[in-house]
Amino acid sequence: MVYQRSLPSGRGTRVAPAAPAAVAVPVVVMLALGLWGLDRGGTWRDEDVTLQVARRSVPQIWRLLHGVDAVHGLYYLLMHPVLAVRADEVALRLPSVCAAAATAGLIAALGVRLARPRVGLWAGLLYAATPLAGHYAQEGRSYALVGAGAAAATLLLVRALDGRRSWWPYGVVVTLTCLLHELAVLSLLAHAVTLGHVRVARRTWRGWAGGAGAALAALLPLALVSRAQAGQIAWLPRPGPGSAERLLHAFLGQSGPVWWACLLLAAVAVPPRSRRAPSVIPSVTSVALPLMVLPPLALLAVSQMRPMYDDRYVLYALAGAPLLVAAGADRLLTAVGAVLPGPGPTPPRGGSSLVPLVGTLAVALAFTHQLPLHRQDRTLLTRPDSLAAVSALAARELRPGDAVVFLPSIGRRAALSHPEGFRGVRDIALRTPGPASGTLYGRETGARELRRRLLTLDRLWLVAEPYALRSPWYPRNPTERVKLTVVGERFVPYEPRREFVRDGVTLRLYAKRRPAGPRVPASPRVPAGTRVAVRPRVPTGTRAPRPAASRTRARPPAPPRPAPPRPGRR
């Protein structure tokens, strides 16, 4: 096996023939794991947003971004031609699978360039075996693409340090990555620390500053628009110490021997502090450690004042973890090989030709240990709120012409992303559909008009989110309050009871409440112990006998009065 040898700055890097295989194998493995179980039979709510927005026309997408979801705008535009060909969950997730496979290859290429082919091979395979990478490789959102962009930008940064490469490819990739998700801008902080650690020349700083400045300039309008839409992440809590610990476990292993082994090897990869001047050629640690640590820590610190932290927002930092673990394993094996005597000459930079195979088997054992997590990700258990199941239920129960009200209006996303279950029904509250109004879920009619519409119905289907029917729930929107008030006062659950709950969404049929009959006044209560004189009952149609003195003249019986007409029902 031929190894890579790094040359001084300005003379390039000689790449071994084994490098292409070290890069290709992780790509193939990640692609196979990404395609495994890709069709789970349902999409969850964030994926449904991608599904319904990316199928709109480009002008409609552009109009939507001015009011909501600007941070995902470039991703929606990229997914528009993909879903125009085929709009199902496989096509929805396929770009994320390809991006994850590319990320595994880019991480392997970084390991090959910064160390040797076996480090790149192990790092790429470790990334593919990580459950967190597999989770977002099978999700129709932008996070896997952002991870690929950050890994590509890091590789271009390392290549530009040899002095013969231009900085404009780095600037283009960093800009596109930040436009895919604005929090990817924190990767620039990690890159700056890498440059500072290797003490590059001023010319290199100027080249990097040009690329980073272009990215910041392009990101500024998006940041201003998304700041006005900050209410979309108002649900995020302030992160605590458990958030950092949970992310570290997601990067290095959930628990057990995999966690401790990866943590030990990552610690071995960090060299002790040395007084020697650092080389202009970056090491694995100087690139991987800032990328793994700084973006999450920076976002956690900012979120103490304004919560905006979520694990998926820093998924791109995962690229540093397998590089550190692989570099630690390589360093440990090299040290062991230098101490233990062995026959024959020592291969360059320590180790034998069987070492890459042994390391690959170790990664396979780590994957086997975490196989239950991979299997769970390929079911609907980790993403239980499948709106496709809600649409299938509506297709079975609803009939064309049925009146439907969504409580709250965000519940309309089931009908927008999977319209086949709601074809022909009447959306009572909807005034303007989402594509025409530039909103996600459309604009609803006013409270007065909605009340008038509801009062003309005899039957009504209610599609309610889980929290909408819990008490107390006091929506601020007047239209939402009218839904609750009128349904509670003028309608009753249909008998026999028609209520279904699927993936947290309640589908319930109501019937109009009928007015009660005339109330009969209750007899007055008599206090206990009171004597009541009881008059004898006279049979109906007869007259009570008069005293004998008053019987002077017999009067004919009076003719019966006609019964008053019964009022008809309106």
Side-chain angles (χ1 to χ4, degrees):
M1 183 175 182
V2 183
Y3 295 88
Q4 168 186 313
R5 184 169 65 90
S6 297
L7 301 178
S9 179
R11 297 175 59 186
T13 303
R14 186 178 302 162
V15 180
V23 174
V25 170
V27 171
V28 173
V29 172
M30 184 73 252
L31 187 62
L33 291 177
L35 294 175
W36 168 37
L38 189 62
D39 186 357
R40 293 188 294 271
T43 54
W44 78 293
R45 301 187 181 199
D46 281 8
E47 290 181 314
D48 285 316
V49 174
T50 302
L51 199 60
Q52 63 116 335
V53 171
R55 286 186 294 182
R56 300 181 182 183
S57 65
V58 174
Q60 289 174 341
I61 296 175
W62 182 252
R63 183 182 178 186
L64 171 73
L65 301 180
H66 289 79
V68 68
D69 256 5
V71 69
H72 298 295
L74 180 58
Y75 175 68
Y76 292 149
L77 293 173
L78 292 176
M79 291 298 297
H80 175 72
V82 175
L83 296 182
V85 176
R86 182 177 178 179
D88 61 4
E89 61 177 307
V90 174
L92 176 69
R93 296 170 183 147
L94 195 58
S96 296
V97 174
C98 296
T103 306
L106 291 166
I107 291 173
L110 275 169
V112 169
R113 191 174 191 90
L114 297 174
R116 64 176 80 189
R118 73 186 189 191
V119 174
L121 175 65
W122 297 342
L125 290 176
L126 278 171
Y127 181 84
T130 304
L132 185 66
H135 180 92
Y136 288 103
Q138 293 197 330
E139 187 165 295
R141 297 298 278 174
S142 63
Y143 307 111
L145 278 71
V146 174
T154 305
L155 179 60
L156 290 173
L157 173 77
V158 173
R159 294 183 63 185
L161 292 180
D162 64 8
R164 301 191 308 169
R165 307 282 182 176
S166 174
W167 282 97
W168 73 263
Y170 171 82
V172 170
V173 173
V174 166
T175 301
L176 292 176
T177 304
C178 293
L179 291 177
L180 275 172
H181 199 282
E182 59 185 353
L183 292 180
V185 71
L186 296 176
S187 62
L188 294 178
L189 179 62
H191 294 168
V193 171
T194 298
L195 296 180
H197 184 266
V198 298
R199 298 183 183 179
V200 297
R202 291 184 178 180
R203 179 183 177 184
T204 303
W205 276 111
R206 287 195 297 268
W208 174 81
L216 293 175
L219 186 62
L220 182 59
L222 174 61
L224 295 177
V225 175
S226 62
R227 180 180 176 85
Q229 302 173 2
Q232 290 187 268
I233 58 172
W235 58 272
L236 289 173
R238 181 177 288 103
S243 299
E245 182 181 357
R246 182 174 63 252
L247 184 65
L248 189 61
H249 277 278
F251 280 5
L252 298 178
Q254 293 298 327
S255 60
V258 174
W259 154 253
W260 290 108
C262 290
L263 184 63
L264 176 63
L265 293 176
V268 170
V270 180
R273 188 173 181 180
S274 176
R275 294 183 178 180
R276 295 183 305 171
S279 171
V280 294
I281 300 176
S283 64
V284 175
T285 306
S286 62
V287 173
L289 187 60
L291 182 60
M292 172 186 171
V293 174
L294 291 181
L297 286 184
L299 189 57
L300 284 169
V302 173
S303 296
Q304 300 305 313
M305 298 174 289
R306 183 180 178 185
M308 58 176 64
Y309 175 81
D310 194 271
D311 293 349
R312 53 189 169 176
Y313 297 160
V314 289
L315 174 69
Y316 59 88
L318 172 61
L323 283 170
L324 276 180
V325 174
D330 178 71
R331 185 175 183 183
L332 184 62
L333 291 175
T334 302
V336 172
V339 172
L340 296 179
T346 304
R349 300 181 68 178
S352 66
S353 58
L354 294 178
V355 172
L357 179 60
V358 173
T360 303
L361 292 177
V363 176
L365 288 176
F367 172 77
T368 304
H369 179 75
Q370 300 180 101
L371 186 58
L373 294 176
H374 286 275
R375 286 177 174 171
Q376 185 177 0
D377 272 337
R378 283 149 181 84
T379 65
L380 295 177
L381 297 177
T382 53
R383 306 170 180 90
D385 44 355
S386 173
L387 298 183
V390 177
S391 178
L393 175 63
R396 190 180 75 230
E397 299 297 331
L398 273 63
R399 297 293 177 263
D402 283 351
V404 179
V405 64
F406 296 92
L407 181 67
S409 60
I410 194 175
R412 195 173 282 110
R413 52 190 167 188
L416 293 174
S417 56
H418 301 279
E420 59 276 3
F422 295 88
R423 286 196 177 97
V425 301
R426 293 182 296 153
D427 190 344
I428 295 300
L430 184 64
R431 183 181 65 188
T432 309
S437 62
T439 61
L440 283 176
Y441 309 113
R443 297 192 184 278
E444 295 192 329
T445 186
R448 182 178 300 177
E449 174 63 19
L450 178 60
R451 178 183 291 273
R452 186 192 65 79
R453 295 181 184 181
L454 290 174
L455 294 180
T456 61
L457 301 175
D458 290 330
R459 285 174 21 122
L460 174 68
W461 282 98
L462 180 69
V463 181
E465 293 291 303
Y467 57 88
L469 296 177
R470 296 173 186 170
S471 180
W473 185 67
Y474 303 102
R476 297 180 180 178
N477 189 293
T479 301
E480 305 290 1
R481 289 201 299 269
V482 166
K483 295 177 187 177
L484 279 174
T485 303
V486 175
V487 169
E489 294 179 354
R490 303 299 180 93
F491 290 86
V492 293
Y494 189 84
E495 295 296 341
R497 193 173 182 86
R498 302 285 297 280
E499 178 177 324
F500 311 90
V501 179
R502 179 64 58 87
D503 292 284
V505 177
T506 300
L507 182 65
R508 183 183 296 171
L509 178 61
Y510 284 87
K512 193 171 184 179
R513 191 187 302 271
R514 298 302 179 186
R519 298 183 61 183
V520 178
S523 301
R525 295 185 178 181
V526 180
T530 305
R531 299 184 64 182
V532 181
V534 181
R535 299 179 60 182
R537 294 185 59 186
V538 179
T540 305
T542 61
R543 296 175 60 89
R546 294 185 177 182
S550 62
R551 296 181 193 171
T552 56
R553 185 183 301 174
R555 294 182 181 180
R561 293 184 179 181
R566 298 180 61 184
R569 180 175 298 175
R570 291 185 179 181

